[in-house]
Amino acid sequence: MPTTVTGLVLLVVLLLPGLTFVIVRERRGSERRPTPFRETGAVVFCSVLTELAALMLFALARGLMPGLTPDVGRLVREGLGYARDHYAQLGWWAVGLLLLACALAAAAAALTAGRPHASAMSAWWVMFDSWFPGENPLVGCILEDGSYIEGRQASFNVSSEDSPDRDLVLIEPLKYRPPGETETHAVPWGAACISARRIVTMFVSYPPAPERATRAAAVATQGSAPAAS
């Protein structure tokens, strides 16, 4: 860990783009818990790549607009003397390049998040997002006390681990069957939160595929049409 303010600033500059990459990627996909070594490696690797890309763009801007960009050669030769005379320009360009690197990291995370690898998916992620993304399927759950609850899936924990310490949110139309009964009744509740620890079996009903729905509608139309004489 850095022991001076300068060292701390340099550490933040180095790691901020990589941290941006990790945060954006986590929010756009399944939550994963990599080892500290892999997570640190991803942060450092992404930071180095995006900052090199930002420096390459700066070099291009330097070649096209030498009067509007800092003179890196003079900064290397003169050191603090040049920095004192042009501290405002250097500061603005440093902040701009850091923000550019963070923007590149965020864009890379958004483009690469997509579908996580099968090894990083939980069973809930597979059922609720991988097979039919964007849908809210009908879900029925048999609970450990023998009761049954059914509703439309509204939210679920996106952790990649099949942990019992997570919740599933169902919304209306909700149906419930108390323990020991055989009839399922509609209930007036708007939503229900169910702990994964209490779920014994889960059933998921997906909307019909578009081509199957179209074919079924065509068959029904033909069946109802009068026969030609």
Side-chain angles (χ1 to χ4, degrees):
M1 293 296 294
T3 56
T4 63
V5 176
T6 303
L8 179 61
V9 171
L10 291 176
L11 180 65
V12 171
V13 169
L14 175 64
L15 300 183
L16 190 58
L19 184 61
T20 302
F21 175 84
V22 171
I23 293 175
V24 174
R25 189 176 176 86
E26 286 180 352
R27 290 188 174 274
R28 294 180 63 89
S30 176
E31 178 188 357
R32 286 162 284 183
R33 297 180 181 178
T35 62
F37 176 77
R38 290 188 61 181
E39 190 166 15
T40 303
V43 170
V44 174
F45 181 73
C46 181
S47 293
V48 171
L49 284 184
T50 53
E51 287 169 353
L52 285 176
L55 290 177
M56 292 176 63
L57 293 175
F58 170 77
L60 179 62
R62 175 67 184 168
L64 297 175
M65 302 176 295
L68 300 178
T69 53
D71 190 338
V72 180
R74 287 188 59 190
L75 177 62
V76 173
R77 292 191 301 269
E78 301 176 16
L80 291 178
Y82 180 83
R84 281 194 298 266
D85 295 337
H86 302 83
Y87 65 90
Q89 185 185 39
L90 290 173
W92 282 112
W93 273 96
V95 172
L97 290 175
L98 179 59
L99 293 177
L100 175 60
C102 292
L104 293 175
L111 291 174
T112 58
R115 302 288 98 191
H117 190 268
S119 62
M121 292 183 185
S122 68
W124 284 16
W125 180 273
V126 171
M127 290 191 299
F128 297 144
D129 192 273
S130 178
W131 288 348
F132 288 86
E135 299 290 347
N136 296 102
L138 191 65
V139 180
C141 299
I142 299 178
L143 307 184
E144 61 180 4
D145 62 355
S147 61
Y148 173 82
I149 186 169
E150 178 183 299
R152 189 73 59 182
Q153 177 261 319
S155 175
F156 69 98
N157 190 300
V158 297
S159 173
S160 61
E161 299 181 3
D162 289 306
S163 169
D165 299 319
R166 54 183 177 166
D167 298 316
L168 172 68
V169 177
L170 303 180
I171 58 175
E172 55 187 345
L174 292 172
K175 297 181 180 180
Y176 180 70
R177 186 190 67 205
E181 297 190 11
T182 58
E183 295 294 330
T184 301
H185 307 282
V187 293
W189 309 321
C193 183
I194 309 166
S195 171
R197 191 178 295 275
R198 307 302 179 190
I199 299 175
V200 177
T201 307
M202 180 185 295
F203 303 95
V204 181
S205 177
Y206 301 104
E211 60 272 11
R212 285 184 294 176
T214 303
R215 189 182 305 116
V219 171
T221 302
Q222 292 175 0
S224 60
S229 55

